[in-house]
Amino acid sequence: MVKAPHIVKLDRATGQRQIIANHWLRLAEAADDAVPPHSLLPLKEWLERRDELIGRADVGIWFAPDDEPEALGSDAAQLAIIAVEFPAFTDGRGFSIGRLLRERYGFTGELRAVGDVFKDTMLYLKRCGFDAFEVRADKDVEEAAKGLDDFTEYYQGAADQPLPLFRRRSA
Amino acid sequence: MYIYDDYDQRIVDQRVAQFRDQTRRFLSGELTGEEFRPLRLQNGLYIQRHAPMLRVAVPYGHLTSKQVRMLAHIARKYDRGYGHFTTRQNIQYNWPKLEDVPDILADLATVQMHAVQTSGNCVRNTTTDQFAGVAHDEIIDPRPWCEIIRQWSTFHPEFAHLPRKFKIAVCGSVEDRAATWVHDIGVHVVHNEAGEVGFKVIVGGGLGRTPIVGAVIREFLPQQHLLSYLDAVLRVYNRYGRRDNKYKARIKILVKAMTPAAFAAKVEAEWAHLKDGPMTLTQAEIDRNAAFFTAPAYETLPAEDAGFAQLRSENKAFARWVERNVFKHKVPGYAAVTLSLKATGVAPGDATDAQLDAVADLADQYAFGEIRVSHEQNLILADVKQSDLFAVWEAAKKLGFATPNIGLITDIVCCPGGDFCDLANAKSIPIAEGIQRVFDDQDYLFDLGEIDLNISGCMNSCGHHHVGHIGILGVDKSGSEWYQVSLGGRQGHDASLGKVIGPSFAQDDVPGVVKQIIDVYVEHRQDDERFLDVFDRVGMEPFKTRIYAKERAHG
């Protein structure tokens, strides 16, 4: 069964977007045996099997809102994909997780927001370093993608544009 | 006054378009009520008792006459002809139609105004001293720093959905007129021993259900680090603040649970990574913002205007108004005037469209076209020549804004209460009026001197009752409205929380109870002691004894 495409994927270099289907399976718990390809493991599970999994490009991590990027540390730089869960869009902890992964721990792979994701949170997510947005299945994904265009200028620096406006204003 | 450039204007215009789209999607059913709620709140839009309520931002309380005329226009066109100035230097409209709100925002944007982050769980409108820039006791003008904070906090992507609302106040004078000790973050602009500008940072103050006076977490933060340090504080709060219980979600609960020292250490550890990063302020940016808050074209005047002195000695009513409503200015020959929005029988903080237009005219004629809003819900003309004070007084009298009661017991700080607010447990406006009617004798009122009386209609404490010398809190007791009275609160550098005097009172009894409190004060007063001085000296007991005497007599 192929899930309906509902992921907005952003090319951070060019700003181009496409709508793609999901190929990653989020596991609530890792099995003790072999981890299948295209698995996203909970942070805790991944950390327990770190030495076995660190080299695998087809295994990623998903963060719950109270998981700490500090626990992953610089290993983040070697991962292909990390998903961050937003159980409700009003739970803003994932924004800080995104920025920490990008700005402090050198994560350059796909940073995916999952959960209560729709048009009105897209731009904040992008600014915090997310480049993949698993839009809620009951929302129109094309419409949601337009949320990325709500603003074209920002005051503060963030993951997508580290320089605050005051450094660009005077440039 | 800060003036938008193309960037600022574009951001506000794009916000209007975004909110128009959000409103459209809500009305068409694409957004559920639950989804729309946090989105509209971040734009100051509540769904209230009678209609939606729209809270418009007045950043750090500053307005131009042109902006005030727009506020009047909005009151007239979209509302019922008036607006309400709040204890957070905002203005609220009680009767807009939801469908009209995008148009209201578009109108506001034409005069560089908006409703961004006036509600919701995000960084709110930054507040400051209403006399910033003109106060005789000012050390450093806080306004450029307020503007720098405003820009940093506007649509901050990481802190758009905090555990709870977040309020920052800035003070740059000897006296704290911004209640910085009871904010989520209080910032004092100060000099260090070397004469450099920086900030003392207070965190974790607040009123509401769990009132707490904040703790200093940094004695001196060099000026260029303000924003990176704020990022660090907010990041710690965003990650570790409680989200399981909205009553325990404010930063004050986190600071208390961790202890201020441990919280400060956590912030320092976070800041170590952010310090000297891109958010480090440049001198050019500090200068750019400071350049908007330069002095207007003051004339060179004598310290004391002869005509003014004479009118003051000849006219008792004018002298009274000067004594209460005129504040000492740092420039010779000038004064700051408070227009009292506390006339008896008018909801504290309310102004009609006609009054707003007239205030704008007054500001143009006498005060360089600028108006301020105080957190005590009054309006201020910050730069009036002494020689114009009499004319301003006469004009203010015609507007109903010349009640000479600033700082007196009838200058009541009061939330909208149960008449307008959905959260309220009890009414507050009729309580304010009842008390004002008890103190209608001007000689008596003047004799009583400085007394802050604050009324909140519920635990959310919008009327800041905890820091009133006399505080009144509406409480719900098995479905009926009761009022709890506290004494001894204060909001300055010696900020402390009032203590509850005893069991609560029925609405009709409140004015009488306040009268009894004042009687006890007058009886114990030595020389010209203030109410607070007497309270600090004699304590709660004499007040309690008098008020509850009858009940005790009945056993």
Side-chain angles (χ1 to χ4, degrees):
Chain A
M1 191 184 79
V2 179
K3 274 194 153 184
H6 61 280
I7 291 178
V8 178
K9 182 79 178 88
L10 174 75
D11 184 316
R12 286 191 291 144
T14 64
Q16 285 191 326
R17 302 142 199 186
Q18 48 179 324
I19 291 164
I20 60 168
N22 178 29
H23 299 293
W24 290 87
L25 188 64
R26 185 144 59 106
L27 303 177
E29 272 178 71
D32 284 334
D33 49 4
V35 177
H38 291 112
S39 293
L40 295 172
L41 296 183
L43 174 65
K44 182 167 173 289
E45 305 283 344
W46 189 92
L47 289 172
E48 283 167 10
R49 300 174 68 170
R50 177 196 176 273
D51 294 343
E52 168 198 348
L53 298 172
I54 184 78
R56 278 184 64 174
D58 64 346
V59 175
I61 295 176
W62 66 274
F63 270 71
D66 56 353
D67 283 337
E68 307 219 328
E70 289 83 347
L72 181 62
S74 55
D75 283 353
Q78 298 186 49
L79 286 159
I81 178 169
I82 296 176
V84 178
E85 190 195 0
F86 288 81
F89 77 96
T90 50
D91 185 336
R93 287 175 290 181
F95 295 131
S96 290
I97 293 172
R99 286 196 73 176
L100 287 167
L101 288 171
R102 286 286 193 225
E103 296 170 54
R104 192 163 304 166
Y105 299 111
F107 175 60
T108 57
E110 177 180 317
L111 186 59
R112 180 183 290 194
V114 300
D116 196 9
V117 175
F118 57 104
K119 185 177 186 179
D120 304 279
T121 62
M122 301 284 281
L123 189 54
Y124 287 136
L125 289 166
K126 170 182 176 269
R127 300 218 55 221
C128 290
F130 290 84
D131 58 358
F133 312 87
E134 192 173 311
V135 175
R136 252 170 52 190
D138 62 327
K139 295 286 185 188
D140 181 338
V141 66
E142 304 267 358
E143 174 75 8
K146 292 179 192 162
L148 292 168
D149 303 320
D150 279 350
F151 291 91
T152 55
E153 199 47 84
Y154 322 103
Y155 285 117
Q156 348 47 25
D160 62 334
Q161 167 54 280
L163 296 181
L165 181 57
F166 63 76
R167 288 183 185 273
R168 291 175 286 122
R169 219 172 207 153
S170 55
Chain B
M1 190 82 184
Y2 184 76
I3 307 292
Y4 284 8
D5 65 7
D6 292 345
Y7 291 108
D8 303 288
Q9 190 65 48
R10 195 185 319 159
I11 288 168
V12 167
D13 289 344
Q14 290 180 336
R15 173 53 155 188
V16 174
Q18 183 192 40
F19 193 72
R20 196 180 287 284
D21 175 65
Q22 289 170 339
T23 305
R24 176 190 63 76
R25 283 185 288 136
F26 170 66
L27 292 171
S28 73
E30 283 173 62
L31 277 174
T32 65
E34 195 187 346
E35 287 160 357
F36 186 49
R37 188 174 179 276
L39 304 176
R40 65 171 163 75
L41 286 176
Q42 299 214 343
N43 207 52
L45 186 63
Y46 287 75
I47 302 295
Q48 279 285 13
R49 190 149 295 205
H50 301 291
M53 185 275 279
L54 180 67
R55 183 181 293 154
V56 174
V58 181
Y60 39 96
H62 268 235
L63 291 162
T64 62
S65 54
K66 190 178 172 190
Q67 291 174 325
V68 171
R69 286 192 187 95
M70 179 54 78
L71 296 178
H73 162 80
I74 288 165
R76 205 158 36 235
K77 183 170 176 188
Y78 302 102
D79 209 89
R80 295 193 177 174
Y82 70 95
H84 170 76
F85 290 99
T86 78
T87 51
R88 298 237 346 116
Q89 298 183 306
N90 295 304
I91 182 169
Q92 293 178 181
Y93 294 103
N94 280 312
W95 311 89
K97 289 192 193 66
L98 173 61
E99 310 84 83
D100 285 343
V101 171
D103 291 336
I104 297 175
L105 298 179
D107 284 357
L108 287 170
T110 64
V111 294
Q112 310 196 338
M113 292 188 79
H114 58 74
V116 172
Q117 293 174 200
T118 52
S119 183
N121 295 334
C122 49
V123 183
R124 302 286 188 86
N125 186 33
T126 298
T127 54
T128 192
D129 181 358
Q130 67 270 26
F131 299 122
V134 306
H136 63 89
D137 67 340
E138 188 159 277
I139 304 159
I140 295 161
D141 188 345
R143 296 172 300 171
W145 300 106
C146 291
E147 177 55 30
I148 286 169
I149 294 170
R150 184 193 73 82
Q151 296 190 17
W152 161 81
S153 63
T154 298
F155 305 127
H156 197 303
E158 189 178 343
F159 309 131
H161 294 292
L162 294 167
R164 277 290 272 144
K165 58 185 166 184
F166 202 91
K167 300 172 179 180
I168 302 175
V170 186
C171 162
S173 49
V174 173
E175 197 189 325
D176 173 23
R177 285 176 292 268
T180 55
W181 292 89
V182 287
H183 275 76
D184 294 294
I185 296 181
V187 176
H188 292 173
V189 197
V190 293
H191 290 121
N192 66 3
E193 285 169 5
E196 295 156 335
V197 175
F199 313 97
K200 177 154 133 177
V201 183
I202 299 155
V203 172
L207 300 176
R209 191 170 295 255
T210 313
I212 296 177
V213 173
V216 176
I217 62 161
R218 207 167 214 284
E219 281 294 343
F220 188 80
L221 177 73
Q223 60 174 1
Q224 68 272 23
H225 298 307
L226 177 65
L227 299 183
S228 59
Y229 192 80
L230 290 178
D231 270 330
V233 173
L234 268 290
R235 182 172 285 171
V236 170
Y237 171 55
N238 188 38
R239 296 185 62 196
Y240 303 108
R242 286 182 63 169
R243 290 174 189 265
D244 58 324
N245 180 340
K246 72 177 275 199
Y247 300 115
K248 296 184 175 173
R250 295 289 291 269
I251 195 172
K252 62 191 171 188
I253 305 291
L254 178 66
V255 172
K256 195 178 167 201
M258 289 176 77
T259 77
F263 180 85
K266 191 92 179 159
V267 170
E268 290 289 325
E270 182 64 36
W271 184 53
H273 294 282
L274 300 172
K275 185 175 181 283
D276 300 321
M279 288 306 287
T280 307
L281 281 161
T282 58
Q283 192 58 47
E285 176 64 2
I286 295 168
D287 294 345
R288 188 184 78 87
N289 282 281
F292 290 105
F293 300 97
T294 51
Y298 292 123
E299 296 170 32
T300 306
L301 299 169
E304 184 81 1
D305 181 78
F308 162 64
Q310 190 180 344
L311 284 163
R312 199 178 173 181
S313 65
E314 287 168 358
N315 187 324
K316 189 180 169 192
F318 178 56
R320 275 205 163 132
W321 178 78
V322 170
E323 186 184 333
R324 293 315 324 177
N325 297 35
V326 173
F327 185 79
K328 191 177 171 192
H329 204 286
K330 68 181 182 189
V331 175
Y334 283 85
V337 168
T338 301
L339 301 171
S340 172
L341 303 192
K342 310 297 179 64
T344 299
V346 179
D350 276 13
T352 67
D353 60 331
Q355 286 174 321
L356 290 169
D357 277 334
V359 167
D361 292 345
L362 266 183
D364 281 341
Q365 195 174 352
Y366 297 111
F368 301 99
E370 188 198 276
I371 296 102
R372 316 271 187 98
V373 183
S374 72
H375 78 95
E376 285 94 356
Q377 305 171 284
N378 293 308
L379 297 177
I380 284 91
L381 302 174
D383 299 291
V384 178
K385 279 195 282 191
Q386 283 180 7
S387 55
D388 287 336
L389 284 172
F390 194 80
V392 168
W393 177 60
E394 300 253 270
K397 273 197 293 187
K398 288 197 191 99
L399 292 173
F401 286 165
T403 314
N405 64 348
I406 301 308
L408 302 181
I409 196 168
T410 58
D411 181 16
I412 296 172
V413 172
C414 181
C415 73
D419 293 301
F420 295 100
C421 178
D422 263 352
L423 303 171
N425 291 323
K427 292 187 177 57
S428 34
I429 294 168
I431 299 290
E433 184 177 346
I435 294 166
Q436 285 171 330
R437 294 208 182 281
V438 169
F439 298 96
D440 61 347
D441 178 324
Q442 282 222 346
D443 290 322
Y444 181 54
L445 189 63
F446 259 69
D447 177 58
L448 296 177
E450 266 175 61
I451 300 172
D452 289 348
L453 192 145
N454 296 45
I455 306 173
S456 300
C458 76
M459 288 294 242
N460 292 301
S461 315
C462 293
H464 302 169
H465 65 277
H466 297 292
V467 291
H469 303 170
I470 300 172
I472 298 173
L473 166 67
V475 288
D476 177 75
K477 263 195 345 200
S478 48
S480 59
E481 299 183 2
W482 290 76
Y483 297 86
Q484 195 176 69
V485 174
S486 56
L487 299 179
R490 63 207 71 183
Q491 64 171 355
H493 285 306
D494 58 346
S496 65
L497 308 165
K499 294 181 185 64
V500 176
I501 187 164
S504 52
F505 306 97
Q507 176 173 334
D508 291 348
D509 294 339
V510 174
V513 167
V514 173
K515 179 72 171 65
Q516 286 179 307
I517 290 167
I518 294 306
D519 288 344
V520 173
Y521 155 56
V522 171
E523 287 161 25
H524 284 82
R525 177 164 59 175
Q526 295 168 359
D527 306 320
D528 51 0
E529 267 184 314
R530 295 177 312 157
F531 174 82
L532 265 187
D533 302 330
V534 169
F535 177 80
D536 289 347
R537 184 166 55 76
V538 305
M540 185 66 92
E541 212 46 46
F543 296 95
K544 206 170 181 167
T545 305
R546 175 74 55 88
I547 288 164
Y548 296 103
K550 200 168 78 181
E551 286 175 27
R552 284 183 192 172
H554 288 274

